[in-house]
Amino acid sequence: MAANGGEVHTASALTTKKSTTGYVWHERYMWHHGGKYAWNEWIQPTRHFESPESKRRLHNLLDASGLLEKLVRIPPRLATVEEITRFHTAEYVAKIQRLSAEYGGEAGDFATFGKGSYDIARLAVGGVLEAVDAVIEGRREGGEEGEVITNAYCLVRPPGHHAERDRGMGFCLFNNVALGALHAVAKHGLKRVAIVDYDVHHGNGTQQAFYKDPSVLFISIHQDSNYPAGTGYVEERGQEGGEGFTINIPLPPGSGSEAYYQAFDRVVLPAVRAFAPELLLVSSGYDAGFLDPLATMMLSSEHFRVLGQKMNGVAAEVCGGKIVYAHEGGYSDLYVPFCGHAVIEEMSGVKTEVKDCMLTDINHWGYHELQQHQDAVIKKCEVLVDDLQKRMAATK
């Protein structure tokens, strides 16, 4: 692997721009555990993919680079049962509470958890809700004379976007970002919220939450037919009043930077502009990174930085920069920290001396150019944007 020759990078070259970026973190997020994997008797038990390590290393990199001290800490809280049941059924919530009080158990497909995870999952939801409040209310750091918090990053765990109404899935217990959107509507009276999910796996739970709801635009860009099986296709567009307000972009395996850039420029950004949300939420997973063990995409930290630039830019256009990122997947302990750090640098406008020593490798990989089969998928999705633009024009 390429390396930096032993150089030591410090925080001495931090820019002086005052950050208005909120940051949600709690040590207890790292105490959630899903046990060990042992699919059958022929596989030696191994560490759970969704371990604390990649998230803790991201937090530690923020600290080591000096960026952490430039962020505005937003203390999380425990979400109430009333808040969680805005989406999840009371029976499902009670099940997680009961199992958590015992020895843990299974919330659903690939969603195991241990003792105490119920309250940790509530804390993850509560962290996103607090970030939504801070951004919508324009909360000020240190009182009336402080800087207004206009965006926020929630480094929460467990993740949420696979969790459905009555079951967990894919390492997720409660759907953090869906509950964040519902909170924005219920508490603050927002009429339009957009969610962009660039985790490499389809955000099936979030899609379910808003499939019939025209007040929330949901866009998922993911690897085609990865997880969950049988979801996330272009043809899934919403139902009843929500028809046209779900957009899926299932990119082929092996997609690189240009496929993602084109998908954002031709589908994601025009759709968000047409919908004109009052708040933008992002399910921020880094498993499209080239070192991730659960996908086969080819993004680098610098590619994620560009995606962050695009998201922050469109938020500035349509909703005064009000954007909240909720951490989702990403299973490379080595590489997730570089990706998340790059995104948070872009949110805060603070540049540090952190250098991704892996860029030399991924930048030499071939097929980052847009391929014909990738372009074909994006063209199908452009039709959905045209339809959304017509629907929004008809409401004016």
Side-chain angles (χ1 to χ4, degrees):
M1 286 291 182
N4 281 335
E7 296 176 61
V8 176
H9 297 286
T10 69
S12 59
L14 287 171
T15 61
T16 57
K17 178 184 179 295
K18 182 64 176 177
S19 171
T20 55
T21 296
Y23 179 64
V24 175
W25 158 269
H26 198 287
E27 172 60 26
R28 289 193 67 196
Y29 293 147
M30 302 300 103
W31 295 8
H32 163 71
H33 63 93
K36 287 191 173 183
Y37 271 139
W39 284 280
N40 64 29
E41 69 272 23
W42 299 110
I43 295 179
Q44 178 180 328
T46 186
R47 192 188 76 178
H48 201 291
F49 283 110
E50 205 291 298
S51 76
E53 192 66 10
S54 65
K55 293 81 176 174
R56 189 185 296 281
R57 288 167 68 101
L58 170 53
H59 178 75
N60 289 346
L61 184 59
L62 293 170
D63 190 7
S65 71
L67 181 52
L68 184 61
E69 65 188 50
K70 300 293 183 179
L71 306 176
V72 180
R73 296 296 288 269
I74 300 175
R77 62 172 174 83
L78 293 172
T80 66
V81 171
E82 179 183 4
E83 289 168 333
I84 296 172
T85 53
R86 286 171 177 156
F87 173 49
H88 296 289
T89 65
E91 293 78 11
Y92 172 66
V93 175
K95 171 188 172 180
I96 302 303
Q97 182 179 21
R98 174 177 53 81
L99 292 175
S100 175
E102 298 169 355
Y103 300 100
E106 294 187 5
D109 185 56
F110 289 103
T112 54
F113 62 98
K115 187 177 181 66
S117 284
Y118 170 70
D119 278 344
I120 299 174
R122 288 174 62 204
L123 195 66
V125 174
V128 173
L129 303 191
E130 282 295 301
V132 167
D133 287 343
V135 168
I136 292 176
E137 295 167 1
R139 191 176 299 170
R140 292 181 180 271
E141 177 193 11
E144 290 301 316
E145 300 302 318
E147 294 286 332
V148 174
I149 298 173
T150 56
N151 60 39
Y153 193 94
C154 306
L155 186 47
V156 297
R157 187 172 171 268
H161 71 148
H162 292 310
E164 295 186 341
R165 184 169 288 106
D166 58 357
R167 65 171 178 163
M169 288 184 69
F171 317 148
C172 302
L173 300 186
F174 299 142
N175 197 312
N176 305 317
V177 76
L179 291 167
L182 291 168
H183 181 74
V185 173
K187 180 176 179 179
H188 299 281
L190 269 58
K191 303 300 183 185
R192 295 180 309 282
V193 178
I195 301 172
V196 175
D197 184 337
Y198 57 63
D199 186 284
V200 82
H201 306 108
H202 178 234
N204 59 291
T206 311
Q207 174 172 294
Q208 182 193 66
F210 304 109
Y211 209 55
K212 298 179 180 181
D213 186 351
S215 69
V216 177
L217 172 68
F218 176 62
I219 305 173
S220 180
I221 178 170
H222 49 270
Q223 181 178 316
D224 186 20
S225 301
N226 185 316
Y227 182 88
T231 68
Y233 301 122
V234 176
E235 293 74 20
E236 297 168 29
R237 304 179 52 241
Q239 291 179 345
E240 299 176 9
E243 184 178 354
F245 294 92
T246 291
I247 297 177
N248 283 300
I249 312 170
L251 292 177
S255 293
S257 56
E258 196 59 32
Y260 272 84
Y261 294 167
Q262 291 277 336
F264 268 73
D265 291 343
R266 293 160 55 185
V267 180
V268 177
L269 302 184
V272 172
R273 291 188 185 105
F275 189 68
E278 298 161 278
L279 174 70
L280 182 56
L281 301 175
V282 180
S283 274
S284 187
Y286 302 109
D287 30 17
F290 79 107
L291 287 180
D292 200 89
L294 295 183
T296 55
M297 299 307 219
M298 300 198 303
L299 297 190
S300 73
S301 63
E302 287 303 304
H303 300 146
F304 279 108
R305 183 189 299 277
V306 173
L307 299 188
Q309 290 172 348
K310 293 178 183 294
M311 295 308 305
N312 301 335
V314 76
E317 289 180 41
V318 301
C319 55
K322 293 182 174 62
I323 184 170
V324 175
Y325 290 69
H327 196 95
E328 298 282 2
Y331 307 101
S332 170
D333 297 347
L334 182 66
Y335 208 57
V336 165
F338 286 122
C339 299
H341 193 277
V343 167
I344 297 171
E345 280 189 338
E346 289 305 311
M347 294 177 68
S348 65
V350 177
K351 190 70 175 72
T352 73
E353 289 187 339
V354 168
K355 290 181 172 61
D356 178 353
C357 57
M358 256 41 90
L359 288 178
T360 301
D361 299 281
I362 183 60
N363 286 343
H364 281 102
W365 285 22
Y367 297 97
H368 274 289
E369 303 84 0
L370 184 68
Q371 307 299 307
Q372 185 174 1
H373 64 299
Q374 298 163 354
D375 185 49
V377 173
I378 297 171
K379 284 180 178 177
K380 289 177 67 176
C381 297
E382 286 181 299
V383 175
L384 306 182
V385 178
D386 292 340
D387 177 71
L388 177 65
Q389 290 171 335
K390 292 175 182 176
R391 290 175 185 274
M392 295 307 299
T395 64
K396 295 179 180 178

